[in-house]
Amino acid sequence: MINLEAPKKFQPLVGQAHQVAMNMLRPISRRYDEGEHEYPKELDMLAAMIDGLSDSGQAQGAGASGVGEKTEAEKRKDAEAEKSGKGGTRNGSNLASVLSIMEMCWGDVGLLLSMPRQGLGNSAISSVANAEQLERFDGVWAGMAITEPEVGSDSARIRTTATKDGDEYVINGEKIYVTSGDRADHIVVWATLDKEQGRAAIKSFVVPKGTPGMEVERLEHKLGIRASDTAAIRFTDCRVPAENLLGSPDIDTKQGFAGAMATFDNTRPLVASMAVGCARAALDLTRELLTDAGVDIDYDAPTYSLSAAAARFIAMEADWEGAYLLTLQSAWMADNKQPNSMQASMAKAKAGRVGSDITLGCVELCGSVGYSEHDLLEKWARDSKILDIFEGTQQIQQLIVARRVLGLTSAELK
Ligand SMILES: Cc1cc2nc3c(=O)[nH]c(=O)nc-3n(C[C@H](O)[C@H](O)[C@H](O)COP(=O)(O)OP(=O)(O)OC[C@H]3O[C@@H](n4cnc5c(N)ncnc54)[C@H](O)[C@@H]3O)c2cc1C
């Protein structure tokens, strides 16, 4: 028999994250949706509590947060233990992260994205940084700035430049749609060392908040995830120490874009898990509402004997299961050092689509109750859409999967 349950050792973590989501995120969910750009100060207390658990070792195996990502130091410890043969675990930090993020997003996606020290830039640091940088940037809260006014999906075309000047890099350019761009204390910025040398010259740089020349220009108003700030940031002769370039400064045209893109192999399963969590929230509430309305959801009955609502609900759950399993698979592969680019994109494509389809499907099934602000179904339908857009849109994920399956390069299949 195949066991499709979450591994036993993660069940306390899943339970703990679910409690946090239910008791700390859900009660403030609507408030910060309505109060866009208001800082969810309750998260400071949550982050401090999680740091305390982490310091005392009680959050072991649960990630830095006990509910989300591990710190860079925790990940390094895992890697060292694995190298020395003392680790042996094959269900590691990536799997722990996706499982806990699912639960937190069952609570609220926008608030999860606003959690101090859990930014997408933190994942970039863990993916690309060297040992010294992992140590130095341990505990920071880092946003991730790739997108520019004329560069979205085709991130190889970025125009922000980083020019070496003595022991520093000087960054110039404009970044838009930076999640946590205002609140995070560091931003990981993608910039090119030399436009002529194409994708291989794109590197990421850690820029601490308050560095002269870095300015948050505006915050966006959005359809969903309104608890999360999304900023436009301008860099004008912004100087950072040369050692803030993540990874190697060499321009390796053979490796091409692979270095920078490695970040996505870690972040796409995380975004997929956000969609899985949000869709699960919608399914759970819809089940309650349908049951209250007298709809019998009987898994053992043949489909023809079910009501249309029950049959639709079960079909949505089956779709959800596919997204859930692909997400676990892509994270498990990352934990086991298996190349997972294709699976990360498959998980992101499936979960991104399922997230939108299910949350909207639940609004539809519940009718006016689904559409009303009395419950959170309408909010989840708005929140989930972004998960099919950022970290690579649905179409881009499908393109990546098609290239891998067909063995074609990005030049051959655009
Ligand atoms: C709320 C929010 C938060 C964000 N957070 C961040 C962040 O933290 N950091 C960051 O760097 N960026 C962030 N982004 C930006 C996001 O990653 C981009 O919006 C996304 O990559 C798409 O880029 P684009 O909007 O320029 O769309 P485009 O690239 O212009 O695409 C428009 C449409 O064309 C499709 N398309 C494009 N190319 C192809 C192709 N080759 N084949 C088929 N279809 C194609 C796309 O799928 C899409 O449907 C965020 C965006 C939003 C809205």
Side-chain angles (χ1 to χ4, degrees):
M1 285 281 280
I2 304 173
N3 183 355
L4 301 179
E5 300 279 305
K8 246 201 193 123
K9 79 168 191 178
F10 291 134
Q11 279 166 16
L13 159 70
V14 169
Q16 197 180 25
H18 191 78
Q19 288 303 316
V20 170
M22 187 162 58
N23 298 317
M24 299 183 83
L25 301 188
R26 280 279 178 97
I28 57 172
S29 194
R30 179 63 78 187
R31 175 168 157 213
Y32 288 105
D33 179 48
E34 286 170 356
E36 190 173 23
H37 300 160
E38 190 186 336
Y39 180 66
K41 53 187 181 316
E42 292 84 349
L43 296 183
D44 284 341
M45 196 182 77
L46 179 57
M49 193 179 93
I50 286 160
D51 287 347
L53 280 177
S54 192
D55 288 347
S56 69
Q58 287 180 56
Q60 243 225 334
S65 58
V67 291
E69 272 276 279
K70 283 199 166 189
T71 58
E72 278 71 39
E74 280 177 304
K75 286 188 175 174
R76 197 171 53 254
K77 251 189 242 159
D78 281 356
E80 280 162 9
E82 209 165 283
K83 256 193 222 150
S84 67
K86 287 181 199 152
T89 172
R90 295 202 289 160
N91 296 322
S93 59
N94 286 282
L95 202 52
S97 294
V98 296
L99 285 167
S100 51
I101 286 173
M102 279 173 197
E103 295 305 322
M104 291 291 277
C105 289
W106 180 91
D108 192 290
V109 177
L111 290 170
L112 179 276
L113 285 166
S114 308
M115 282 288 292
R117 299 181 284 288
Q118 308 280 318
L120 288 171
N122 290 86
S123 296
I125 292 173
S126 356
S127 315
V128 195
N130 60 33
E132 181 277 324
Q133 291 168 330
L134 283 173
E135 192 83 56
R136 191 152 45 94
F137 297 125
D138 189 22
V140 304
W141 178 5
M144 177 89 179
I146 302 172
T147 307
E148 298 179 1
E150 283 172 47
V151 183
S153 296
D154 191 1
S155 42
R157 287 176 44 235
I158 61 170
R159 298 184 306 184
T160 296
T161 54
T163 312
K164 188 89 190 285
D165 182 24
D167 292 340
E168 295 176 322
Y169 283 100
V170 185
I171 300 175
N172 278 289
E174 189 185 352
K175 296 289 179 182
I176 56 172
Y177 288 98
V178 184
T179 298
S180 302
D182 190 36
R183 296 172 187 161
D185 48 41
H186 287 67
I187 301 293
V188 175
V189 183
W190 279 25
T192 175
L193 294 180
D194 179 358
K195 279 184 198 160
E196 302 301 310
Q197 297 212 52
R199 358 179 115 207
I202 295 174
K203 302 285 173 185
S204 41
F205 300 83
V206 182
V207 184
K209 200 67 170 294
T211 304
M214 172 181 169
E215 194 192 343
V216 172
E217 290 201 318
R218 65 171 187 278
L219 296 178
E220 304 296 341
H221 293 278
K222 310 187 295 286
L223 173 73
I225 58 160
R226 291 184 179 159
S228 161
D229 66 312
T230 308
I233 307 179
R234 186 177 293 280
F235 296 88
T236 313
D237 293 332
C238 177
R239 288 176 172 269
V240 291
E243 59 268 21
N244 282 20
L245 182 156
L246 291 176
S248 163
D250 299 335
I251 300 176
D252 178 354
T253 45
K254 275 199 212 96
Q255 202 204 12
F257 212 19
M261 296 303 265
T263 306
F264 289 133
D265 299 344
N266 283 354
T267 54
R268 284 177 177 157
L270 300 182
V271 177
S273 70
M274 294 175 198
V276 168
C278 187
R280 186 72 248 169
L283 287 170
D284 287 351
L285 180 55
T286 301
R287 172 198 294 281
E288 271 175 38
L289 292 168
L290 290 179
T291 307
D292 288 351
V295 175
D296 184 22
I297 302 169
D298 181 352
Y299 293 92
D300 296 326
T303 310
Y304 69 79
S305 69
L306 293 173
S307 67
R312 172 97 189 272
F313 184 85
I314 289 175
M316 287 199 294
E317 276 201 319
D319 217 12
W320 178 89
E321 196 83 28
Y324 171 76
L325 292 173
L326 280 169
T327 303
L328 296 194
Q329 182 194 27
S330 59
W332 182 89
M333 289 176 78
D335 281 336
N336 286 272
K337 311 283 175 284
Q338 293 180 13
N340 73 336
S341 298
M342 182 172 81
Q343 286 77 8
S345 285
M346 285 168 78
K348 170 78 167 67
K350 174 79 177 172
R353 184 183 58 71
V354 157
S356 291
D357 285 359
I358 289 182
T359 51
L360 260 184
C362 288
V363 167
E364 197 177 302
L365 269 183
C366 297
S368 54
V369 174
Y371 198 74
S372 143
E373 286 188 4
H374 183 265
D375 278 305
L376 289 166
L377 284 172
E378 62 80 29
K379 177 180 181 299
W380 295 329
R382 288 186 284 110
D383 285 348
S384 61
K385 187 61 212 173
I386 188 57
L387 305 171
D388 205 23
I389 297 177
F390 68 13
E391 293 299 294
T393 64
Q394 173 68 217
Q395 293 74 17
I396 295 303
Q397 306 305 335
Q398 290 195 22
L399 198 54
I400 293 168
V401 174
R403 281 181 196 141
R404 297 268 166 178
V405 169
L406 300 171
L408 297 174
T409 63
S410 52
E412 290 164 334
L413 189 62
K414 293 184 184 170

